[in-house]
Amino acid sequence: MDDKRQRARVQGAWARPAKNTSRPAPVPTAAQPQCWRSDQVMPDKKFTYEDPTEVNRRVPEPRIIEKEGCYDISTAPSGVSRLRLFPLFIDPKEADWMFEQLRSEIPWTQKTNLGPDGPYTEPRLTSWYGDIPYTYSSSTLRANSHWHPLLTALKDRIEEVTGYTFNSLLCNLYRHEKDSIDWHSDDEPALRNNPVIASLSFGETRVFQMRKKPPPEDHGDYMYVDRVHVPLDHGSLLLMEGATQNDWQHRVPKEYHDRRPRINLTFRTIFPN
Ligand SMILES: O=C(O)CCC(=O)C(=O)O
């Protein structure tokens, strides 16, 4: 990325003419123009190099994760941030009919949040399953306490494979390329410290982007942070564990060419109070 801040700040300066020069520089007089003719001798000058005062920082290329595996994306005092990707968690044929059922049978709604510039409607549809309502961005999603049987079956299958248990689910429907979710971490107090999030995707592939939170000395500047991109395909499962929600943010950005609908289910564990 071309950015002014990327340029090396090399400082140099024209040194003054050496004191004991054998060729004295001609002094311009009123009769002489204030420029040098080709037959005149230039004053003896040297270019002196000084070390750059600032380190040249590069914007790192995003790391692309698309193969099945377990990836430690960072290690910090807060712990290891770990992703586990299962690209074909659901067989594509099975995923096809699941997608259709979820799209038509989940009670989708469009939530209105309160941001710094006032209320705004989310650019996607959502539905929340759990024992208690879910509050984020200063507004609350009513809980569907009666789980759709397909959602229960998917939760059971994920619990069996991962060894984790979940009691809540946020469903997201991205209707087209303009639907998105902005940078955030799943770090609401009700999720407690180091929550495990299991994210199951159906339909159109969209890129799940992650960026590491910057160190305090960068004062909230995300320019040079590490980035990870995970294209989430039809039937894929992504598990986020450890310090991932503490140390990283994620989003699914808008796209600029046609995209078919996509459903994402994020299973979580909510602790009341
Ligand atoms: O759609 C996705 O893959 C991400 C959803 C998400 O970030 C969330 O529900 O918090």
Side-chain angles (χ1 to χ4, degrees):
M1 189 183 283
D2 202 14
D3 186 272
K4 279 185 198 151
R5 277 173 288 186
Q6 265 185 275
R7 281 190 259 141
R9 303 200 182 162
V10 178
Q11 295 195 329
W14 288 103
R16 286 161 204 229
K19 281 209 170 116
N20 294 330
T21 174
S22 53
R23 294 188 301 244
V27 180
T29 63
Q32 277 181 312
Q34 299 265 335
C35 57
W36 302 105
R37 292 193 319 269
S38 56
D39 59 334
Q40 283 182 303
V41 181
M42 287 288 284
D44 207 5
K45 288 184 178 179
K46 277 197 191 112
F47 188 76
T48 55
Y49 175 81
E50 290 168 22
D51 277 336
T53 50
E54 230 172 79
V55 178
N56 182 16
R57 297 181 78 183
R58 285 190 180 281
V59 175
E61 286 293 317
R63 174 179 179 187
I64 315 284
I65 293 182
E66 48 195 353
K67 292 205 168 69
E68 172 154 6
C70 177
Y71 302 87
D72 289 352
I73 53 172
S74 64
T75 306
S78 47
V80 172
S81 295
R82 180 165 295 158
L83 301 181
R84 276 200 274 161
L85 181 64
F86 306 81
L88 287 171
F89 185 75
I90 310 278
D91 165 80
K93 282 269 171 306
E94 215 185 348
D96 287 349
W97 70 258
M98 289 180 175
F99 173 81
E100 290 309 332
Q101 253 198 22
L102 297 172
R103 185 151 72 147
S104 56
E105 294 181 16
I106 283 182
W108 298 106
T109 56
Q110 190 164 20
K111 185 171 177 268
T112 300
N113 293 336
L114 194 58
D117 302 325
Y120 66 95
T121 50
E122 286 185 334
R124 66 188 178 283
L125 305 184
T126 50
S127 198
W128 171 247
Y129 289 82
D131 298 329
I132 54 171
Y134 185 35
T135 301
Y136 65 89
S137 303
S138 309
S139 91
T140 301
L141 272 172
R142 195 181 55 82
N144 298 299
S145 48
H146 183 70
W147 286 60
H148 188 289
L150 175 54
L151 296 177
T152 310
L154 290 171
K155 182 168 95 67
D156 291 348
R157 214 191 276 195
I158 292 172
E159 289 181 343
E160 199 182 309
V161 170
T162 64
Y164 292 112
T165 55
F166 303 96
N167 64 10
S168 319
L169 166 63
L170 180 61
C171 310
N172 291 295
L173 171 58
Y174 303 82
R175 296 159 292 180
H176 41 61
E177 63 282 359
K178 292 191 182 60
D179 275 356
S180 62
I181 188 164
D182 207 355
W183 288 117
H184 68 284
S185 306
D186 297 332
D187 57 0
E188 293 78 29
L191 293 167
R192 299 240 176 115
N193 203 26
N194 289 354
V196 175
I197 310 282
S199 162
L200 186 59
S201 296
F202 295 93
E204 184 68 275
T205 301
R206 295 283 292 262
V207 182
F208 183 77
Q209 299 188 348
M210 303 181 72
R211 63 179 185 181
K212 186 134 195 303
K213 293 182 187 170
E217 61 271 24
D218 280 355
H219 307 290
D221 183 356
Y222 280 81
M223 178 65 69
Y224 301 105
V225 298
D226 287 336
R227 287 166 194 267
V228 171
H229 290 183
V230 191
L232 291 178
D233 297 331
H234 191 42
S236 64
L237 176 71
L238 178 70
L239 207 62
M240 294 184 264
E241 300 172 88
T244 309
Q245 304 307 322
N246 193 58
D247 291 350
W248 293 74
Q249 290 188 330
H250 55 264
R251 72 168 179 177
V252 175
K254 289 186 197 320
E255 301 210 9
Y256 296 93
H257 37 263
D258 289 354
R259 288 285 175 222
R260 287 172 295 114
R262 165 178 185 259
I263 290 172
N264 174 258
L265 310 176
T266 51
F267 294 88
R268 303 134 187 258
T269 300
I270 293 278
F271 297 88
N273 309 315

